[in-house]
Amino acid sequence: MLFTWLVLLSSCFIWQMTETQLIYRLNKIECQVNQSRVSNVSCHVKAINWNMAVVNMDCFMIVPLIKPVVRVQVFWKDYSNQYKPFLVDVTVNLCEVIERRNFIPYGVIIWKLFKRFTNANHSCPFSGQLTARDGYLETSLLPPFPQGLYLISLVFMDTNSTNKDYVGTMKFFLQVMEQIKRKKKPRS
Ligand SMILES: *[C@@H]1O[C@H](CO)[C@@H](O)[C@H](O)[C@H]1NC(C)=O
Ligand SMILES: *[C@@H]1O[C@H](CO)[C@@H](O)[C@H](O)[C@H]1NC(C)=O
Ligand SMILES: *[C@@H]1O[C@H](CO)[C@@H](O)[C@H](O)[C@H]1NC(C)=O
Ligand SMILES: *[C@@H]1O[C@H](CO)[C@@H](O)[C@H](O)[C@H]1NC(C)=O
């Protein structure tokens, strides 16, 4: 009898372990822009539930983005509450990724997110009103980061043969955590 209980208990435990899933929950977003290139900026995170929050963003490109280049950096918040560089620091030429001339992983992830959640879902250049609606990070898109608090920084520049202009920065503050599930009633 005791043995049966132990087996039942441990199988419950294993079931629970396999049920937990990592999620990337957005807590906050900050946007800064070069005001001579971008106007009417708004960016917000809206919480949907304990596990899910979405990004909505609008801005107007006064100067079209001809050949945008994005620097992607990830920072991890350590025990002294400071953001330290965490593995990722890459610079991506977005047009090349969109034109499938470049398959740099973080560029491909950004492009997937753009296609799904924004109206910047076409080839370069980007001009006029840009919007993002109900955007979120799917766990399956990212490598499994250890649980904790992170900052993902995207710095957009526009380039041509002679110039490199700062366009804007988006900072995503997020938490990598186990999905919070409603407790299931044990079956009797
Ligand atoms: C920016 O926002 C203001 C106020 O909401 C609006 O009057 C203006 O037309 C907007 N400009 C652009 C370029 O979208
Ligand atoms: C791009 O996004 C707009 C607005 O979200 C949508 O109407 C359009 O069909 C999309 N185009 C492509 C090629 O996915
Ligand atoms: C590059 O960009 C700068 C500033 O945006 C502009 O003045 C210059 O004419 C551009 N050069 C070329 C070759 O397009
Ligand atoms: C902001 O954009 C303007 C116009 O393209 C450019 O002249 C200026 O250098 C940019 N500012 C920065 C900090 O790059």
Side-chain angles (χ1 to χ4, degrees):
M1 186 61 197
L2 179 65
F3 178 74
T4 319
W5 265 111
L6 279 177
V7 169
L8 269 176
L9 270 176
S10 56
S11 64
C12 270
F13 185 66
I14 288 163
W15 177 78
Q16 284 242 313
M17 295 272 288
T18 53
E19 275 293 293
T20 59
Q21 196 203 347
L22 280 187
I23 53 166
Y24 294 70
R25 186 189 190 279
L26 281 163
N27 291 330
K28 192 172 73 162
I29 180 174
E30 285 175 9
C31 300
Q32 293 145 14
V33 297
N34 179 341
Q35 294 187 341
S36 51
R37 299 188 60 118
V38 189
S39 69
N40 281 18
V41 181
S42 82
C43 63
H44 301 285
V45 165
K46 187 170 80 180
I48 304 290
N49 60 39
W50 285 107
N51 295 310
M52 171 92 163
V54 294
V55 171
N56 287 307
M57 209 198 73
D58 291 273
C59 65
F60 185 85
M61 307 305 291
I62 304 165
V63 181
L65 271 175
I66 305 297
K67 206 177 153 201
V69 167
V70 192
R71 181 174 184 195
V72 184
Q73 283 170 286
V74 179
F75 300 89
W76 169 70
K77 199 173 197 176
D78 72 6
Y79 302 107
S80 57
N81 263 344
Q82 306 222 300
Y83 283 104
K84 298 282 165 62
F86 180 82
L87 300 175
V88 182
D89 183 354
V90 292
T91 299
V92 176
N93 181 325
L94 266 185
C95 307
E96 285 181 3
V97 172
I98 294 169
E99 289 160 16
R100 302 176 66 84
R101 287 190 286 122
N102 187 327
F103 295 89
I104 185 166
Y106 284 90
V108 173
I109 293 171
I110 290 173
W111 175 229
K112 279 186 181 161
L113 294 171
F114 273 26
K115 266 197 297 195
R116 175 140 181 220
F117 298 117
T118 79
N119 69 341
N121 53 6
H122 52 78
S123 51
C124 299
F126 300 112
S127 59
Q129 191 72 28
L130 297 184
T131 62
R133 287 290 172 269
D134 298 330
Y136 61 94
L137 272 174
E138 270 171 297
T139 308
S140 61
L141 284 178
L142 289 174
F145 289 173
Q147 289 187 43
L149 293 166
Y150 292 84
L151 160 59
I152 299 179
S153 155
L154 304 182
V155 178
F156 289 83
M157 314 276 291
D158 202 6
T159 56
N160 65 18
S161 48
T162 50
N163 272 65
K164 197 170 188 184
D165 278 352
Y166 172 70
V167 177
T169 306
M170 293 169 76
K171 289 182 177 168
F172 299 89
F173 296 86
L174 52 97
Q175 183 169 11
V176 177
M177 60 184 209
E178 275 174 11
Q179 190 165 13
I180 298 169
K181 296 218 167 179
R182 255 181 273 152
K183 289 241 164 60
K184 291 195 176 139
K185 280 203 188 115
R187 273 191 285 175
S188 51

